[in-house]
Amino acid sequence: MNNRMNQEMLKKNFEEHEFETSFFETKEQAADYLKAQVKGQKVAFGGSVTLQEMGLFNALSEENEVIWHWNEPGPETLAKARDARIYITSANGVSETGELVNIDGTGNRVAQTLYGPEKVYFVVGANKIEKDLSAALSRARNVAAPLNAKRLKTNTPCSRTGERCFDCSSEARICRATVILERPTRGMKAEVVFVNETLGY
Ligand code: SF4
């Protein structure tokens, strides 16, 4: 895992893959940037410790309608989120070669990154970045997912310590869909907002 970002390589490889990129040293700078970019919009958030740590819900709520099931849980909120023009989430694994990996249980988060919004922002801390797609996939499976299971206190073998995946067959398994974005899907804009500090998991 890299603790510092190779900005030049990330910019080159993600932009070659048709993603927009932006780079910030701190989460506060990234939040200010998103506040300036997103105004008067219907915005939805994916479940994300990164966004929580940034305080982004309150920051964007000043000038937008923000829909977040972590703020208002329930199926109605998830249904409302499907109409948002802007979607903001993080990624579970990011490759320096220009791919984004997300693992989902309910599917709402990965679905919104594939079809629906006009633009998706992925806010990514330096701790999410790996050297290639294989390592990013491994990070998503063996680091992000067990830590999320631990946070959710799921009845899965990984949730006790959050240290590794057991590829379980539990009913409570949170890993049900793995999406690799190699490029933004056709007709959708996507920007990766890199933050050079540890954010989320
Ligand atoms: S597959 Fe099961 S054991 Fe592995 S991280 Fe997901 S929930 Fe945990």
Side-chain angles (χ1 to χ4, degrees), residues 1-198:
M1 180 173 63
N2 299 321
N3 289 318
R4 304 296 290 177
M5 296 188 298
N6 184 335
Q7 180 171 332
E8 196 178 328
M9 182 188 292
L10 289 166
K11 182 173 171 59
K12 174 179 178 293
N13 288 341
F14 273 92
E15 292 186 359
E16 276 182 9
H17 285 186
E18 303 171 27
F19 293 97
E20 298 168 43
T21 60
S22 50
F23 293 85
F24 302 92
E25 283 300 313
T26 68
K27 61 181 184 299
E28 290 79 13
Q29 289 169 354
D32 286 346
Y33 169 75
L34 288 166
K35 267 180 82 172
Q37 292 290 307
V38 181
K39 290 186 182 196
Q41 300 279 5
K42 190 169 183 177
V43 184
F45 286 5
S48 165
V49 173
T50 292
L51 304 188
Q52 191 175 48
E53 289 176 351
M54 292 172 77
L56 202 61
F57 181 86
N58 287 341
L60 290 193
S61 290
E62 290 172 17
E63 295 195 61
N64 300 277
E65 178 190 356
V66 184
I67 303 153
W68 198 19
H69 59 293
W70 280 19
N71 192 58
E72 192 176 333
E76 298 82 8
T77 308
L78 291 179
K80 263 169 56 184
R82 295 176 69 181
D83 294 332
R85 295 177 69 218
I86 305 290
Y87 196 71
I88 307 181
T89 188
S90 185
N92 298 132
V94 177
S95 68
E96 282 186 334
T97 47
E99 293 93 7
L100 301 167
V101 179
N102 267 311
I103 296 179
D104 210 350
T106 303
N108 61 299
R109 184 168 55 105
V110 294
Q112 294 292 104
T113 67
L114 294 173
Y115 186 78
E118 287 177 13
K119 182 161 184 178
V120 181
Y121 291 91
F122 296 89
V123 184
V124 170
N127 52 312
K128 306 282 185 78
I129 298 165
E130 299 288 350
K131 66 177 173 24
D132 57 22
L133 177 57
S134 170
L137 269 166
S138 178
R139 183 192 192 282
R141 286 183 178 140
N142 293 298
V143 177
L147 287 174
N148 277 312
K150 186 179 176 195
R151 171 179 61 82
L152 293 164
K153 300 185 174 64
T154 55
N155 185 20
T156 56
C158 60
S159 68
R160 192 172 55 82
T161 63
E163 284 175 0
R164 73 176 180 95
C165 172
F166 294 80
D167 193 18
C168 70
S169 295
S170 164
E171 270 185 39
R173 176 174 168 131
I174 62 168
C175 310
R176 292 174 180 271
T178 301
V179 166
I180 300 165
L181 268 182
E182 300 167 338
R183 308 280 192 282
T185 49
R186 207 174 290 287
M188 189 188 279
K189 290 184 194 158
E191 177 170 342
V192 190
V193 178
F194 290 99
V195 183
N196 200 12
E197 57 185 13
T198 296

